[in-house]
Structures are given as C-alpha cells and as structure tokens.
Amino acid sequence: MQQAAQAYQATGDILNQAQALRLLSLVTQQLGEWDQAQAAIDSSLSLLETVSRGGEGVLAKVLNTQGRLQLVQGNADAALNTWQNAEALYAKANDPVGVLGSQINQAQAMQSLGLYRRAKKLLTQVRQTLLAQPDSPVKAIGLHNLGNVFRQAGDLEQSKQTLTESWKVTQLIKSPESQNQALLSLGNTERALATRAKDTNNHKASKQHIQEAITHYQQAAATTTSPITKIQAQLNQLSLLIETDQEKSVQALLPQIQTLLTKLPSSRASVYAHVNFAQSLIKIRNRKLRTQFTKPIPTPIPNSPDIAQLLNTAIEQAKTLEDKRAESYALGTLGNWFEQTKDWSNAITFTKSALLIAQGINAPDIAYQWQWQMGRLLKAKAEQATTTRNSNTEAVTEVIQDAIAYYTQASNTLTNLRSDLVALNPDIQFSFREQVEPVYRELVDLLLRSPEPSNDNLKKARKVIEALQLAEIDNFFRDACAKPEKVNIDNVDPRAAVIYPIILKDGLAVILKLPKQNDLVYSFHQNISDDQVDEAVKKFQEIITKPTGANHTIKKELPQIYDLLIRPFEEELETNRDRDQSPIKTLVFILDGSLRNIPVAALYDREKDKYLIERYAVAVTPGLQLVDPKPLPRQQLTALIAGATNAPSFKKEGLGPIDNVAFELTKIGEQVNRSQKLQNQEFIKENLQNQLTAASFNVVHIATHGQFSSNPEQTFILDWDERIKVKDLDNLLRMSDPSGTTPIELLLLSACQTATGDKRAALGLAGIAIRAGARSTLATLWQVNDASTAEFMNQFYQQLNNPQLTKAEALRNAQIEFLKMEEEDPNKDYTLPYHWAPFILVGNWL
C-alpha cells in the first residue's frame, strides 16, 4: 500500500493515492497501529481537499474508513457523525450499496452509544433492501448487526433467525471471518435464550441453549484469524462454563485466554476483554469461597498478572485511547475487586473515580452501577464498624445515610433511564435480575432496617418499590411502555386501602396506606426468605386450583398467607370503619415477586372462617402511578366480543375446546348497550383490527385460550388460526384509540392462565394490562371450568351494569354469588375457589 501510494503520487493521480492511503489505514488498523492508521487517513483527507469535483465516491469511502477508526478507538459519537456524512456523499455519487453500508455502520455506532432503539429502527428500515440485495459482505454485515439489535431488544427468536440468515450469506460468499463473527453472535443469542428458559423454569431448554452457545463459541474461536473475535468467543465461553460449574473446561481455558490477552493491540475491545476476564476471575474466586468448585482453581493463574494488574492494564489502555467510557468501566471494576477483598479504602477511591468520569461524560447507564457500588461499600463499612467494641453510633448512622444517598442516586438514575435500561452495555454482561433489581431491593432494605422505620423512610420505600415494578415491566417489554403519573390514592378512592408486600433478603415487609391518613402502617415478618415465600405461593396455588373436594378441606390446607399480608393490619382496617370517613371497601395490592401469582380474593382468615373477598373487594395494580382515576361510564357500555370454541390454533397448541363460548358471548351481548361479535372463523387478527379501527368500544371481551408468562414471546392469546402475542395485541387494541384520549375501559380475557412453574408469570398479565392501553384488565390466573366461566361472566356483567358499584365491587359481588350458589342450586356447586378465585382485576378498580 505504501508503494502504491508513492507510485500514484509520482504520476499525480490524487484520487488513487487517496484510495491507497485509505486502504493503508485499514491495514494498520488491523495491526493495531493506531498512530499510523490516523496519519494515513489524515493524509488521504488532505489530498481530497484539493480535488474540486468527481471525488464524492472516494471521499465517502475514506470517511467510512475514518468512522471505523473512530469507533474502534471508542469515539462512537464522531464515528456516527462521520458515517452520516459518508451516507450523504454516497447518495450524491449515486451509490446505493455505499448508502446501505453507511447506514449499517451508523447503526453499529448507535449500538456502541447505547441507542439501541434508534439502531433497531434504522436497521429495520433497511432490512427489506438488504434481503433484496445479492449475497455480499454488506448484506452479511447488515443482517449481523440487525440480529444483534434484535437480541438487545429482547426479540430472541427474531435475533436467532436473522443471525442464521447472516451466517448463511457468509458461507455463500466464502467469508470465513464473517462466519466466525456470526457464530459468536449466535452464541450470545443462544445464551440469552438459555437465561430466559431458566427464568421460566424450563431447565431442559436452558441446558440445550447453553450447549448450543458453547458449541458456537468453540467453533468461532477454533477457526478465526482475528485475535479479538477469538478472545471474545473464549471469554463468553468461560463465563458460561463458570456459571454451569464445568471445572475442568474452565481450568483448560484460563491459560489460553491469558496468553491471548497479552498479544492484543490497544483498543476498546481489548479494554473490555481485560475487564471481562477480570470479572470471570472474580466469579471463580467467589465460587471457590462458597466451595462450589471441588478443586481449587488457581487465581491468579501461574505466571500471570493478578486481577488488579489486569484491570490496571485496561485502565492504562483506555487512558491512551482517551476512551472515557472504557476507562470508567475498568476503574469501577477495579473498585469492585477491592470490594470483594474488603479493602474498603481502595474500593471507595476507585469507585469514586469511575463515577466522576461516568457523570462527566453523561453516561447514566454506567454511572448508576458505581452509585450502587458506593452504596454497597458504605453499607459494608457501617456494618463492619458496628461490630467493633467502641463504634461511634452517630458516625455509623451518618455512613448509613450516605449509603442511602448513593442508593437513592442509583435508583433515580435508573428511573430516569427507563426507556434505555435495555441499552446497558452488552460487552459487559448485563442481567436485569443481577444488575437492576438488587439496586431497588437493597435500598428498601436500608430504609426499613430499623425495627420501627420513620414514616419518611416508609414513604421512600413505597416509592422505590413502585419504581421497581415499573422497571420490571419495562424490562419485560424491553421498552418503556407505561407512562407513570403521580396519583394520590385519597383522590382516587377514599374508601380504598393499599397494601405493599416487599420481599427482602431476611424477611417480608408489608406497608399499608390507609385513606386520608398521612402516616403509613408497617409490619415486618423476620427470617422469611424469598424461597419460603415462593414455596408458600406454590403450595397455595396447588391447593386453590383443585377442581374437586370440599371447601372446609381446602380452607384447612391453605398456607396462611393471610396472616402475613392482612392480619397485622386488621385493627387499623376495622378501626377505620368506625371513624367519620367512609369505611374501607376495597383493598388494592401492589404485589411483589411470586406473590403476584396468588388470587388475593382467596386469602383465607382461619379465625373468622372467611375468604378475604367476603369482607373486601380486591384489585391488583403494578403501581398507583399507573392508575387512571376515572370510573367506568355504565350507561354507554359498548363491547367488542370475540372468541372461539374449537379453533385450529387450539389443536396446534395441544389445547381442548371451550364448549360454552357461544353461550358466554351471547349472554354478554345481552348485557351491554351495543356489541359487535367475532366468533370462530371470524375471530382472526385482521377482523379484530378492522372492528377496532371502524368503531369505538369501551369494553373488549375475548373468550379464548391464552397464557401469561415472564417471557413476552410466551405471553399470548389464540385467535382462530394462530397466536396473537402480547406486543401485537397491544398494537391491535390501540387501534380503538390512536390518540390516547379515550382508552378501552375494560379488557376481559377469559380462559387464559399463567404459565405453569413460572414464578414471575403474572408479569405477563400485568404487562398485558398496561401495554393494552386499557384502564382495567380482568383475566384468569388459571384455566377454569368452561361452564362456570360462562356463568361467572354473566354474573359479572349483571353486577357491572349497576352504576353504584366499582368494577372491583362488581367482581366481588359475582364471586360472592358463586360462594352462595350451592345453597340456591345444588346442581351448580361453584363454591370452590377453583371456580371463582382466578378472576383478577388489574389496574383501575373504579
């Protein structure tokens, strides 16, 4: 290249000389010789400034190469700007493939900046153009980037499909290095699928995805000629092997990675590789301390630098590159290493440095991690101080307050991030359960750690737990679908009390908000672990879903979850009835963790021999901020009613017919002012869309099989032909109110159920409730007897027509009717909770 540049210079061929220098920059970039790469690109650009016309195409290519150099050195903002300029020049030179390549590069820069939704939008726009292209490197790279964006957006099946398409193209064009990069990305997607399967208790599928991921990583590492691709594949393989306790494989891989690391040229990828390796070594050390490895794994590895040295190398490389994001990551991880070794002074020093850099470059996605780390460090420091003989109580209290301040900063940063939570850097392994949820829970734990927390701390804890509920739903959908607004419960319903159970590390906290009272009421059940709560919920579900048996037997066997959530507040709830204000009629639950999967209506008070529904109407909401405080206008109930008896889609899913759908839909049609029916073959997505576009409905009632899950891909209802997934259902229902001014008042989903064994399955129900844009959703937690469901819905609509009742009270009255049904009609024994308890009202209960 140097010889070619000199030859073109000798003949005065400026355009070809600029091209040769551009290619020289690419070569030196591959070698990690950044100064030479920069000098070559600068010389190329200087030459092109002397060309008056006809150089647009060459300049566009030079800018493309300059953008690549800027990105690899960590300057993604500059790279994005450079590639936007390149796109304009390619368009001017009438080069559509160049335009396409520049757009793909821009999406890559957007991903590096954490702008995943912008990247996804751009790549989705160019996807059809890409697919129409003949097989080429540009097509392979575009599909590859799109597949990665789909993964970061949580569309894992779409990610796998698109990455597989990219991999096939790389085979056809015989591009081995692109094949290896596609395999690496496929491994990452398989790993994400494994995590999701594990979260839904599908351990068999999780193991299969893990093995697929390891195979992809091994293939990529074995055949690549790129040191960066090789080390990324090996590092990802290593962390998976550590997670799955594959000790021998871990020991074999460690020295290979260590050797390769020393040969990497300085780059952002190299910095992240050092950080990633250090994090894996920290995990090995922690697992070794917990004796999960039977034989000691050498850390540090013989003849290798220790963890601190690895991270110091990363810090120096980041400083040389002037890559502030990478420097912050390396510094913060070094702070984490000192946290693990209980060197609090060094841990605080390096964490503060990392936080200052993150705040200085306005990177909240990394700043929150160091705010959280500072909170943990100060909390640990305070705990250590309390164990010493002469601990200063005031000083300890001050440190705790500082810890709370940092935790609060972290939770506020996360709340402000909301829509970008999914953009947390994919190069540093990200998990909501590990890196977001604990921030909120640990803050609540600090706020409530005294035996009698102050009212101010109770209010803060309540606010934090609502923020966590929002974050969980955002993570479920991988975007910020809910728009929270501050709501005063007293203004919403002066006859409703709100109950917040909060699962903490060493117990179950419960906060009660009574109407028109400023002070909150608090109860704490000590030494109840989240596993014990999960076990109680599981047992409750097993008993309550029995379709046969005697009521007295069921009551006797039910775990006393009532004693945890309601009994501590009985006096306050009863006393409130005797005050001047109206008595409490409704209990609103903002449930936490697996408690979301229980039908609160069936909580049983053994002392009074009553189910909770016999005393109060009940409702569930993910947070008061999501309650739109407007009652249902009864005089104008207009309903779109739809369902199927024995659809082909049922058979595909292995589900039986729902024989009483026709009766259910007919009865509902009789109970409302105006209705439109879509039954059996007419019940397809397109017809739903047409009806919702053509007319305004305030009630949508769908009688069909469906499932709620913590996995949005497994949260769906079935139309006549196929699944309607939760995200598609959202788009459909919003057709009724594109302006957002007159939403659907009530969405009813009968014959649906929460996914078996998925302790977070009710997230899907909450997700549908919020995402659908309906003020309220009434659904079933399990698939109920067909005949009793039809009867129950008829009862509910009869009650709903009474303008004196709220929706929660209408639901309660229908449930009470079922409890009394045996007395009135011996042929209809619907008194068992199996028949009436699964109906749960989510959202606005008015």
Side-chain angles (χ1 to χ4, degrees):
M1 289 302 165
Q2 288 167 340
Q3 289 170 2
Q6 289 165 3
Y8 285 126
Q9 184 180 14
T11 60
D13 188 340
I14 292 174
L15 289 179
N16 276 324
Q17 184 186 353
Q19 279 271 46
L21 288 165
R22 174 184 78 84
L23 293 169
L24 176 61
S25 177
L26 278 174
V27 172
T28 48
Q29 285 180 43
Q30 289 286 352
L31 294 168
E33 296 172 356
W34 308 121
D35 290 340
Q36 293 93 318
Q38 188 65 57
I41 211 74
D42 288 344
S43 298
S44 182
L45 288 168
S46 297
L47 281 171
L48 290 172
E49 285 177 5
T50 66
V51 178
S52 56
R53 66 172 62 178
E56 290 90 354
V58 176
L59 179 56
K61 290 176 182 176
V62 174
L63 290 178
N64 243 342
T65 303
Q66 183 187 34
R68 187 185 182 285
L69 178 59
Q70 290 165 331
L71 185 69
V72 80
Q73 290 185 293
N75 196 347
D77 278 308
L80 179 58
N81 186 57
T82 299
W83 281 326
Q84 286 168 339
N85 292 336
E87 181 191 354
L89 286 165
Y90 275 124
K92 198 172 179 182
N94 195 26
D95 182 348
V97 175
V99 168
L100 195 60
S102 295
Q103 290 173 327
I104 291 165
N105 287 338
Q106 287 170 49
Q108 200 174 348
M110 289 171 187
Q111 290 174 67
S112 188
L113 289 165
L115 305 172
Y116 291 103
R117 285 194 293 167
R118 275 181 63 186
K120 184 182 178 184
K121 184 179 178 183
L122 177 58
L123 286 171
T124 304
Q125 287 170 357
V126 304
R127 185 180 190 185
Q128 292 309 313
T129 311
L130 266 177
L131 292 172
Q133 291 281 320
D135 294 329
S136 67
V138 168
K139 183 175 182 178
I141 292 167
L143 290 171
H144 184 196
N145 285 349
L146 181 58
N148 285 338
V149 167
F150 277 134
R151 181 178 63 254
Q152 286 139 6
D155 298 332
L156 300 183
E157 282 78 10
Q158 190 77 272
S159 171
K160 185 174 179 177
Q161 179 188 332
T162 307
L163 288 169
T164 303
E165 289 171 1
S166 172
W167 177 70
K168 287 177 180 175
V169 173
T170 63
Q171 286 185 305
L172 291 168
I173 63 172
K174 293 182 171 53
S175 175
E177 196 45 51
S178 296
Q179 280 183 50
N180 293 322
Q181 289 170 355
L183 284 169
L184 174 59
S185 291
L186 274 166
N188 293 339
T189 296
E190 289 288 355
R191 182 174 186 172
L193 284 163
T195 301
R196 196 172 69 182
K198 183 182 176 185
D199 283 347
T200 54
N201 284 338
N202 190 344
H203 297 293
K204 184 180 178 182
S206 181
K207 284 181 182 177
Q208 288 173 342
H209 288 304
I210 285 170
Q211 193 50 55
E212 284 289 325
I214 288 173
T215 301
H216 288 320
Y217 291 146
Q218 287 173 334
Q219 288 173 341
T223 55
T224 183
T225 57
S226 163
I228 286 296
T229 303
K230 186 179 184 75
I231 199 148
Q232 285 174 341
Q234 289 186 328
L235 284 167
N236 290 356
Q237 183 187 344
L238 176 67
S239 65
L240 254 186
L241 293 170
I242 294 167
E243 277 180 30
T244 51
D245 294 334
Q246 298 187 46
E247 182 184 338
K248 287 183 180 177
S249 299
V250 168
Q251 291 192 38
L253 200 52
L254 288 173
Q256 296 177 43
I257 294 172
Q258 179 55 48
T259 302
L260 191 55
L261 265 182
T262 60
K263 298 177 181 178
L264 287 182
S266 295
S267 67
R268 170 179 274 195
S270 171
V271 175
Y272 286 147
H274 280 79
V275 172
N276 195 330
F277 190 44
Q279 288 177 324
S280 287
L281 293 176
I282 291 170
K283 282 182 184 175
I284 290 171
R285 173 188 176 273
N286 290 344
R287 281 176 177 258
K288 209 170 75 172
L289 291 176
R290 293 197 301 269
T291 66
Q292 288 192 11
F293 280 89
T294 54
K295 297 176 185 175
I297 291 178
T299 50
I301 305 156
N303 305 316
S304 74
D306 61 17
I307 291 170
Q309 285 177 314
L310 272 171
L311 292 167
N312 278 316
T313 301
I315 293 164
E316 290 308 313
Q317 284 191 15
K319 284 180 177 176
T320 303
L321 295 166
E322 297 182 358
D323 187 340
K324 292 295 184 183
R325 284 181 71 91
E327 185 183 352
S328 179
Y329 267 121
L331 282 165
T333 306
L334 184 55
N336 177 247
W337 167 238
F338 285 122
E339 178 186 7
Q340 303 298 323
T341 57
K342 296 182 170 48
D343 183 346
W344 309 124
S345 177
N346 269 323
I348 289 169
T349 298
F350 284 104
T351 306
K352 278 184 175 176
S353 298
L355 178 55
L356 280 171
I357 291 173
Q359 290 173 325
I361 60 172
N362 191 26
D365 56 316
I366 34 182
Y368 98 86
Q369 296 180 60
W370 313 140
Q371 289 163 340
W372 174 31
Q373 193 158 288
M374 280 298 298
R376 293 198 309 270
L377 290 166
L378 292 169
K379 177 184 168 188
K381 193 177 176 183
E383 286 170 350
Q384 187 182 48
T386 56
T387 60
T388 60
R389 284 187 177 180
N390 302 315
S391 62
N392 184 325
T393 306
E394 286 185 12
V396 169
T397 303
E398 191 175 325
V399 175
I400 288 288
Q401 290 306 313
D402 288 342
I404 288 172
Y406 274 110
Y407 267 107
T408 303
Q409 286 175 30
S411 68
N412 289 342
T413 303
L414 282 171
T415 300
N416 293 333
L417 263 173
R418 284 198 71 218
S419 60
D420 297 315
L421 263 181
V422 297
L424 297 177
N425 196 304
D427 298 303
I428 308 297
Q429 298 143 22
F430 163 70
S431 157
F432 181 89
R433 299 286 294 278
E434 293 175 5
Q435 291 180 266
V436 175
E437 187 175 338
V439 177
Y440 295 97
R441 293 206 182 278
E442 289 168 19
L443 173 54
V444 171
D445 188 57
L446 269 178
L447 290 167
L448 301 180
R449 66 170 27 206
S450 66
E452 294 183 12
S454 68
N455 194 52
D456 188 45
N457 276 8
L458 289 174
K459 286 181 176 178
K460 285 178 183 173
R462 173 187 172 202
K463 183 180 176 183
V464 171
I465 214 68
E466 287 216 6
L468 171 59
Q469 298 269 359
L470 274 175
E472 283 189 297
I473 289 168
D474 288 344
N475 184 63
F476 175 80
F477 283 110
R478 290 296 176 119
D479 66 23
C481 56
K483 296 176 181 175
E485 294 181 13
K486 287 186 178 178
V487 173
N488 184 336
I489 181 65
D490 298 338
N491 297 336
V492 174
D493 184 357
R495 302 174 78 176
V498 189
I499 295 173
Y500 298 79
I502 306 167
I503 300 168
L504 298 175
K505 188 170 62 176
D506 59 348
L508 178 70
V510 191
I511 298 173
L512 169 69
K513 169 68 177 80
L514 292 164
K516 298 188 178 178
Q517 290 189 32
N518 184 50
D519 288 351
L520 301 174
V521 190
Y522 177 66
S523 171
F524 184 70
H525 304 279
Q526 203 162 12
N527 299 325
I528 296 179
S529 68
D530 54 352
D531 287 340
Q532 287 173 307
V533 172
D534 293 346
E535 193 56 40
V537 168
K538 185 180 175 183
K539 187 178 178 186
F540 195 98
Q541 288 175 306
E542 287 171 358
I543 294 165
I544 211 79
T545 53
K546 288 179 181 176
T548 57
N551 235 322
H552 67 86
T553 306
I554 287 171
K555 289 175 179 178
K556 186 179 177 182
E557 292 177 349
L558 278 176
Q560 287 303 286
I561 296 175
Y562 180 96
D563 290 349
L564 300 175
L565 304 189
I566 309 297
R567 192 165 313 283
F569 309 118
E570 281 186 329
E571 186 179 339
E572 286 81 1
L573 292 169
E574 287 300 320
T575 304
N576 201 74
R577 290 174 178 270
D578 303 330
R579 292 182 176 159
D580 294 336
Q581 67 258 39
S582 304
I584 291 169
K585 298 187 76 172
T586 305
L587 299 182
V588 180
F589 291 84
I590 296 175
L591 297 170
D592 188 23
S594 60
L595 289 168
R596 296 188 189 103
N597 285 352
I598 61 167
V600 287
L603 292 178
Y604 174 62
D605 179 0
R606 205 167 272 173
E607 289 182 10
K608 294 186 173 64
D609 188 23
K610 286 184 183 294
Y611 289 110
L612 185 62
I613 201 66
E614 295 180 79
R615 297 174 63 199
Y616 300 98
V618 297
V620 171
T621 176
L624 289 182
Q625 298 174 68
L626 300 175
V627 173
D628 188 1
K630 291 174 185 171
L632 175 67
R634 309 307 162 89
Q635 297 79 10
Q636 301 297 325
L637 285 184
T638 59
L640 175 61
I641 53 180
T645 299
N646 194 16
S649 62
F650 295 3
K651 293 171 186 171
K652 282 184 204 171
E653 302 282 348
L655 298 166
I658 313 174
D659 294 328
N660 284 275
V661 163
F663 172 78
E664 181 177 331
L665 299 186
T666 299
K667 284 290 184 183
I668 293 162
E670 293 170 1
Q671 302 274 9
V672 297
N673 298 70
R674 178 174 65 83
S675 66
Q676 181 67 45
K677 187 191 296 184
L678 295 173
Q679 191 171 333
N680 292 332
Q681 289 92 335
E682 293 178 342
F683 173 40
I684 57 174
K685 188 161 59 174
E686 291 74 15
N687 288 344
L688 272 175
Q689 181 173 325
N690 293 337
Q691 290 295 336
L692 288 164
T693 306
S696 178
F697 299 97
N698 51 23
V699 175
V700 174
H701 184 116
I702 301 176
T704 184
H705 286 297
Q707 178 176 271
F708 311 118
S709 166
S710 58
N711 173 3
E713 293 297 316
Q714 296 299 321
T715 298
F716 59 87
I717 62 170
L718 297 176
D719 72 4
W720 182 255
D721 294 324
E722 60 186 357
R723 291 182 177 189
I724 302 178
K725 292 182 183 175
V726 60
K727 291 186 179 182
D728 297 324
L729 183 64
D730 154 38
N731 295 332
L732 276 175
L733 294 173
R734 290 185 186 276
M735 298 266 178
S736 178
D737 178 38
S739 65
T741 52
T742 53
I744 293 165
E745 295 285 347
L746 183 58
L747 168 66
L748 294 102
L749 299 169
S750 66
C752 292
Q753 62 182 342
T754 50
T756 307
D758 183 354
K759 71 178 186 179
R760 297 161 67 88
L763 260 181
L765 172 54
I768 281 185
I770 291 166
R771 186 68 176 250
R775 285 202 170 106
S776 313
T777 299
L778 179 63
T780 50
L781 286 174
W782 59 84
Q783 193 177 322
V784 197
N785 173 279
D786 180 27
S788 69
T789 301
E791 182 70 38
F792 188 92
M793 285 299 173
N794 185 37
Q795 287 279 356
F796 173 70
Y797 276 94
Q798 285 180 24
Q799 301 293 336
L800 195 65
N801 276 317
N802 182 347
Q804 303 302 313
L805 299 176
T806 64
K807 283 174 276 193
E809 289 166 345
L811 175 60
R812 173 180 183 260
N813 286 359
Q815 290 172 314
I816 296 294
E817 285 297 317
F818 262 46
L819 271 169
K820 297 190 301 187
M821 199 166 278
E822 187 181 22
E823 300 166 17
E824 298 169 0
D825 186 350
N827 295 319
K828 291 182 179 178
D829 183 7
Y830 293 157
T831 60
L832 292 180
Y834 167 79
H835 293 287
W836 54 262
F839 298 93
I840 183 167
L841 184 68
V842 183
N844 184 330
W845 62 90
L846 295 178

